[in-house]
Amino acid sequence: MGTVLLSELATEIVIPVCAVIGIVFSLIQWFLVSRVKMTHERPATSPSSSKKNGFHDSLIEEEEGINDHNVVAKCAEIQNAISEGATSFLFTEYQYVGVFMIAFAILIFLFLGSVEGFSMKSRPCTYDQQNLCKPALATAVFSTVSFLLGAITSVLSGFLGMKIATYANARTTLEARKGVGKAFIVAFRSGAVMGFLLAANGLLVLYIAINLFKLYYGDDWEGLFEAITGYGLGGSSMALFGRVGGGIYTKAADVGADLVGKVERNIPEDDPRNPAVIADNVGDNVGDIAGMGSDLFGSYAESSCAALVVASISSFGINHEFTAMLYPLLISSVGILVCLITTLFATDFFEIKAVKEIEPALKKQLIISTILMTVGIAIVTWIGLPSSFTIYNFGVQKVVKNWQLFLCVAVGLWAGLIIGFVTEYYTSNAYSPVQDVADSCRTGAATNVIFGLALGYKSVIIPIFAIAVSIFVSFSFAAMYGIAVAALGMLSTIATGLAIDAYGPISDNAGGIAEMAGMSHRIRERTDALDAAGNTTAAIGKGFAIGSAALVSLALFGAFVSRAAISTVDVLTPKVFIGLIVGAMLPYWFSAMTMKSVGSAALKMVEEVRRQFNTIPGLMEGLAKPDYANCVKISTDASIKEMIPPGALVMLTPLIVGTFFGVETLSGVLAGSLVSGVQIAISASNTGGAWDNAKKYIEAGASEHARSLGPKGSEPHKAAVIGDTIGDPLKDTSGPSLNILIKLMAVESLVFAPFFAKHGGLLFKIF
């Protein structure tokens, strides 16, 4: 089969070293952000630093003669309020999630332990009956441990991301006084801290878990990597609650603040008189940052697990080729190094001097990382894989060459870039689709809604073709393993993707703080420019997350079908077809739950904001302070209560279907939910993003066309605000949560596959 250039020892060193480099790099970025002081003393600038990025360090306030020390103190005070709100919400959420985590861990142990009646005897291996494998009880114990490891890492990823974002938001505002380039660097560096911490932590924990489990499993790699799948399940189950809970929180506050503040009271966004304004800014951190962090960590963990499971029953696992076995982890390791170089292009190699350079700089990040990563994958494939090997393909071993596997990873990587750019085309106000939506606001909110929905449906076409091509190419070359590594390819530049994604909410918060601290309109213009670019890049990030989720869940589906010993999934058998049609319905049921939750929470918020405006004397005049804490409490209570039903729907469906209807019906459910979930997720995210940017297009008034629709407060602007408000739960709650639904059901089915294969289908056994 050929030898591997990279020795086992080198593999054992390279992977943890790359992870540690990622962690060190993120700490350096954090240190650089922390040098922006939240006190009003001017640091003595050396001649070299004063000209960095083409700006002189003088502040706008000094030019205008209003350098008020109170501004800095006010920024620090607002930052503290946002940070406290976000921390207290996440602690409350994690208490509930912790209970679930322990309960589900017990469930995993009981279900998997009962496969062989909790016996401690070795059993014949599933795929190789001649050899003996470790007992089912061992798989139960280790799957439970890896589930807990994945869950804790996921929670930690989200929490650290939120902490960094709330640390950086006011610092971005203060740097905006020196120019847009300075503010951009602070926001982007903070995003990079989160991106690199998450990518490196995910890789390091997985690597350590594999090595520790190996001490017990020895040569039984089939059992070892089956137990590791719990890691992906833990990561995604926490992400589900983080995404849904955070999404409901942020959108309840956002909708409440916008409807009463902008539409009814005609006050600007993030005006300190608005009682919901702190809750709105807290929401950006718990939904877009903590939720997104957990979500992408889950995708990464699952695609790694899917690839490892298939590899363990292919020639890599059978012949115990450790370097080739850890090929998925080597891709991620190189990804960290590639993203590190890419990040320096944004923060150190090039300077941003004008507002119009922000969006191109972020897009360049995606292009540079993709090109460098293609080279990185080629090197890893050349030194980490034998020239020819076999991959398990539903009962037979398929011969694969190493260049074919390189193409599988590369096609996933480039499909991700295509999805990113298509998403940008449909959601950025620099292009005609969003400008058409803005133009439709002339005739009111109804036409705006119609145009926005049409845009969302249309934006599904090219991403689906991109996903379809990558599935066909990677499956033709390397069966289900090909699809798993294609998903990994799409996620290999996760550190850069997350940096770009986290940059958006940080800039959004920075604008909010500038408005609340009463800073000059020129600073607000700068933070708005940062935020508008961030909105588009957030949509690109969601596109990546959805595209990779489709590939990941298909790879997990393949691993599940293999593990449950289903030879073919025949759509014409009634067992499978009923699963298919029910599975296709689940994303709609799930979306209905999350949308309704946002609606009912927003209803309470609107009533509270109205009550405060009507009953607190002097609030509109700015003489009295609103009761921010009450609005924060409404959002917290609503999101904690409302995240449980959608979470239960996703977590219980595979268990109920597998136990009562069996593995064939469950395979139908997984296929159905994948096919319909991807379409709804893309259209919901892009519709919401387009409405948001159509509103920003009118507000900015940058072109003749935009000025003809404005200014703020005009009838077209009010119609745009209504569109934006409808789109909020679509793009930030339902859309992003759906990609977790399709991944989570697949990985859960894979973890419980031994139980379903042995004891499942109770109803069909009775009749």
Side-chain angles (χ1 to χ4, degrees):
M1 283 289 176
T3 54
V4 176
L5 294 176
L6 194 68
S7 69
E8 277 197 25
L9 180 66
T11 309
E12 295 271 14
I13 295 167
V14 166
I15 295 172
V17 164
C18 288
V20 170
I21 289 172
I23 293 169
V24 170
F25 182 72
S26 68
L27 294 176
I28 293 169
Q29 296 296 314
W30 180 77
F31 170 70
L32 292 170
V33 171
S34 71
R35 284 168 62 186
V36 180
K37 293 286 173 267
M38 294 297 291
T39 51
H40 55 248
E41 298 99 52
R42 291 286 319 272
T45 49
S46 64
S48 63
S49 70
S50 64
K51 286 285 180 191
K52 176 78 176 124
N53 288 328
F55 291 107
H56 198 272
D57 264 344
S58 65
L59 306 179
I60 296 173
E61 275 80 350
E62 287 187 346
E63 294 160 26
E64 296 174 354
I66 51 160
N67 187 7
D68 185 3
H69 293 325
N70 292 343
V71 166
V72 183
K74 223 170 183 178
C75 281
E77 184 192 328
I78 297 161
Q79 180 194 26
N80 279 342
I82 294 171
S83 183
E84 279 169 22
T87 308
S88 77
F89 167 72
L90 286 181
F91 272 129
T92 314
E93 181 183 77
Y94 293 155
Q95 282 167 1
Y96 283 82
V97 167
V99 173
F100 157 80
M101 193 163 83
I102 292 160
F104 206 77
I106 294 166
L107 203 64
I108 292 174
F109 176 71
L110 293 176
F111 269 60
L112 293 182
S114 66
V115 171
E116 298 284 340
F118 296 100
S119 94
M120 293 293 288
K121 285 205 295 286
S122 294
R123 60 198 166 120
C125 299
T126 312
Y127 300 99
D128 183 6
Q129 298 288 334
Q130 274 78 43
N131 289 339
L132 283 180
C133 283
K134 299 287 184 202
L137 192 63
T139 306
V141 172
F142 284 101
S143 294
T144 309
V145 171
S146 58
F147 167 77
L148 292 171
L149 270 178
I152 292 162
T153 313
S154 179
V155 163
L156 205 63
S157 303
F159 187 74
L160 288 173
M162 181 280 297
K163 272 296 185 203
I164 293 150
T166 52
Y167 183 80
N169 49 18
R171 287 174 165 79
T172 306
T173 311
L174 293 177
E175 285 293 274
R177 299 181 304 168
K178 299 173 188 171
V180 74
K182 293 276 189 190
F184 171 81
I185 284 182
V186 171
F188 191 80
R189 279 206 164 115
S190 322
V193 178
M194 176 184 175
F196 282 92
L197 264 185
L198 187 139
N201 277 343
L203 176 64
L204 197 59
V205 175
L206 181 58
Y207 172 77
I208 291 168
I210 290 172
N211 275 306
L212 290 178
F213 285 17
K214 221 170 112 192
L215 297 176
Y216 169 78
Y217 276 100
D219 284 345
D220 175 15
W221 285 17
E222 183 192 299
L224 163 61
F225 290 103
E226 192 175 299
I228 285 285
T229 50
Y231 185 68
L233 176 60
S236 254
S237 53
M238 296 303 108
L240 176 72
F241 291 107
R243 257 301 193 199
V244 175
I248 293 168
Y249 184 106
T250 177
K251 291 304 120 183
D254 199 354
V255 171
D258 281 0
L259 281 182
V260 184
K262 283 191 196 162
V263 178
E264 292 179 10
R265 295 281 171 170
N266 221 355
I267 58 175
E269 189 161 1
D270 297 314
D271 191 294
R273 293 170 291 178
N274 193 330
V277 72
I278 293 283
D280 184 8
N281 281 294
V282 168
D284 290 336
N285 293 297
V286 296
D288 294 349
I289 300 256
M292 185 71 186
S294 292
D295 178 5
L296 278 176
F297 166 74
S299 277
Y300 162 73
E302 283 162 341
S303 53
S304 303
C305 291
L308 291 167
V309 166
V310 180
S312 70
I313 51 176
S314 304
S315 64
F316 302 156
I318 296 164
N319 304 334
H320 296 102
E321 297 167 11
F322 193 65
T323 301
M325 188 68 216
L326 292 191
Y327 178 67
L329 276 72
L330 286 167
I331 292 175
S332 308
S333 306
V334 172
I336 291 175
L337 302 182
V338 163
C339 292
L340 194 152
I341 298 164
T342 311
T343 302
L344 297 176
F345 276 95
T347 55
D348 295 79
F349 298 160
F350 294 110
E351 300 166 357
I352 286 192
K353 297 183 177 133
V355 163
K356 64 175 184 297
E357 292 173 16
I358 301 169
E359 213 166 296
L362 292 168
K363 276 162 66 179
K364 272 185 205 140
Q365 286 285 297
L366 288 174
I367 297 166
I368 294 167
S369 63
T370 304
I371 292 168
L372 291 177
M373 194 62 211
T374 309
V375 179
I377 295 165
I379 295 167
V380 168
T381 310
W382 179 54
I383 63 170
L385 290 176
S387 56
S388 151
F389 43 88
T390 64
I391 294 291
Y392 184 84
N393 180 23
F394 301 121
V396 293
Q397 293 285 350
K398 178 185 172 83
V399 177
V400 180
K401 303 273 191 291
N402 58 3
W403 61 267
Q404 292 176 314
L405 212 50
F406 161 71
L407 287 177
C408 294
V409 187
V411 80
L413 178 67
W414 285 89
L417 189 68
I418 291 167
I419 292 171
F421 279 134
V422 170
T423 308
E424 190 224 7
Y425 173 72
Y426 280 106
T427 56
S428 166
N429 53 27
Y431 303 104
S432 59
V434 171
Q435 291 171 9
D436 290 346
V437 172
D439 193 62
S440 71
C441 295
R442 289 176 193 280
T443 48
T447 40
N448 179 25
V449 170
I450 293 166
F451 269 69
L453 287 172
L455 176 145
Y457 297 147
K458 196 175 171 190
S459 71
V460 174
I461 301 168
I462 298 172
I464 290 299
F465 277 122
I467 292 169
V469 168
S470 45
I471 288 170
F472 183 77
V473 170
S474 47
F475 190 86
S476 304
F477 282 146
M480 278 299 170
Y481 188 70
I483 292 172
V485 291
L488 261 177
M490 205 179 273
L491 290 165
S492 57
T493 52
I494 185 173
T496 295
L498 261 171
I500 293 172
D501 216 63
Y503 154 88
I506 292 169
S507 308
D508 192 356
N509 261 209
I513 291 171
E515 183 75 49
M516 283 186 270
M519 292 164 99
S520 81
H521 71 96
R522 287 172 65 184
I523 292 179
R524 182 71 218 219
E525 278 166 21
R526 287 173 177 183
T527 54
D528 274 355
L530 290 171
D531 182 23
N535 242 350
T536 305
T537 53
I540 292 174
K542 290 184 186 111
F544 262 92
I546 295 162
S548 61
L551 292 176
V552 168
S553 54
L554 184 60
L556 290 165
F557 175 67
F560 161 72
V561 168
S562 302
R563 183 63 191 84
I566 306 170
S567 49
T568 52
V569 178
D570 185 355
V571 181
L572 295 176
T573 54
K575 271 186 196 179
V576 175
F577 193 80
I578 56 168
L580 201 61
I581 201 160
V582 170
M585 172 275 295
L586 287 174
Y588 290 91
W589 187 0
F590 180 82
S591 299
M593 282 177 163
T594 49
M595 296 282 285
K596 180 91 187 297
S597 300
V598 172
S600 55
L603 203 69
K604 291 184 189 132
M605 189 64 80
V606 167
E607 284 166 358
E608 172 61 21
V609 175
R610 278 182 187 153
R611 182 193 69 75
Q612 291 197 29
F613 274 126
N614 293 334
T615 58
I616 299 177
L619 182 54
M620 269 306 279
E621 294 74 34
L623 302 171
K625 273 184 83 171
D627 181 1
Y628 296 128
N630 220 9
C631 290
V632 171
K633 186 177 184 309
I634 287 175
S635 256
T636 304
D637 293 350
S639 54
I640 296 293
K641 190 172 111 235
E642 301 280 1
M643 75 179 181
I644 294 165
L649 172 73
V650 178
M651 297 302 288
L652 294 177
T653 300
L655 289 178
I656 292 167
V657 174
T659 307
F660 292 107
F661 298 93
V663 283
E664 282 98 343
T665 309
L666 181 54
S667 62
V669 169
L670 296 178
S673 65
L674 166 62
V675 169
S676 82
V678 173
Q679 330 281 339
I680 307 173
I682 296 173
S683 65
S685 293
N686 290 350
T687 294
W691 275 327
D692 193 348
N693 274 345
K695 174 202 72 176
K696 284 198 165 60
Y697 174 75
I698 295 172
E699 286 175 353
S703 67
E704 197 54 50
H705 176 237
R707 285 191 286 278
S708 72
L709 297 167
K712 286 184 183 179
S714 65
E715 285 309 310
H717 177 249
K718 282 186 174 168
V721 171
I722 290 170
D724 173 36
T725 314
I726 299 168
D728 273 338
L730 283 172
K731 77 174 166 54
D732 287 323
T733 314
S734 295
S737 307
L738 279 172
N739 58 42
I740 303 178
L741 169 132
I742 56 180
K743 292 181 309 195
L744 186 51
M745 291 195 351
V747 73
E748 190 182 331
S749 304
L750 174 60
V751 170
F752 286 103
F755 176 81
F756 296 151
K758 185 102 178 192
H759 301 300
L762 294 178
L763 283 180
F764 293 129
K765 284 175 184 167
I766 295 166
F767 297 118

